[in-house]
Amino acid sequence: MMTRVTVAALSLVLGTALLAHAQESGLESTIARFAASWNRGDAGTIASFVASAGVSLELDDGPAGPLGSRQAAAALRRMFEGHETVSVRPGTVRIVGGAPQRAYGQLDWRVRARGTTVTERRTVFIALVREPAGWRITHIRLLR
């Protein structure tokens, strides 16, 4: 029978191993580069992260996709035109397994509508798949 201490130690080791794997696989750096692009409102660079099968978007104007990188860039550009970013911080990042490998990440986005002073907090949810060229985004969803 496993003691609580043994279970806690195993959980710590497993959690540390999963975090190390996420860092080694390049997922953390992909999310960091994506967050920097989101902070600048750089739709073109964000579109360069799109998976080969396209990306599904769930922005304020509803769901769309899967879209290719050009269509995704246009949709993101329209969205950024109406918003002013206050700050972006990477949040949770997890590899969830599968073949091909899948992961998700979240950004904490502080934003306000252009021309206003009211800041709101949004979560940007990102689903990713590992392709030969690295981690690519399959889904971007804005949550309130």
Side-chain angles (χ1 to χ4, degrees):
M1 187 185 271
M2 293 171 77
T3 67
R4 287 185 180 158
V5 173
T6 305
V7 170
L10 284 172
S11 296
L12 179 62
V13 168
L14 182 58
T16 303
L18 288 173
L19 179 59
H21 180 65
Q23 290 170 339
E24 288 172 16
S25 70
L27 180 58
E28 294 277 337
S29 64
T30 299
I31 296 294
R33 288 190 327 269
F34 180 90
S37 299
W38 193 274
N39 188 48
R40 292 188 310 271
D42 186 349
T45 300
I46 293 169
S48 73
F49 291 97
V50 169
S52 59
V55 63
S56 294
L57 301 177
E58 291 186 51
L59 306 175
D60 291 332
D61 56 354
L67 304 172
S69 58
R70 288 180 53 202
Q71 294 87 357
L76 289 165
R77 215 172 276 115
R78 282 191 303 274
M79 191 254 331
F80 284 128
E81 285 172 357
H83 296 83
E84 181 180 349
T85 295
V86 175
S87 68
V88 174
R89 290 193 183 98
T92 304
V93 177
R94 295 277 188 276
I95 293 176
V96 294
Q101 209 171 24
R102 299 204 174 264
Y104 71 88
Q106 295 179 355
L107 304 179
D108 178 34
W109 186 31
R110 305 290 172 138
V111 64
R112 62 179 157 244
R114 291 216 185 267
T116 70
T117 58
V118 178
T119 301
E120 66 177 296
R121 182 179 176 196
R122 307 285 299 269
T123 299
V124 181
F125 174 84
I126 311 149
L128 303 101
V129 63
R130 187 159 193 156
E131 294 184 347
W135 287 101
R136 297 291 180 243
I137 295 179
T138 61
H139 197 114
I140 299 172
R141 181 177 185 191
L142 291 183
L143 306 169
R144 291 192 185 271

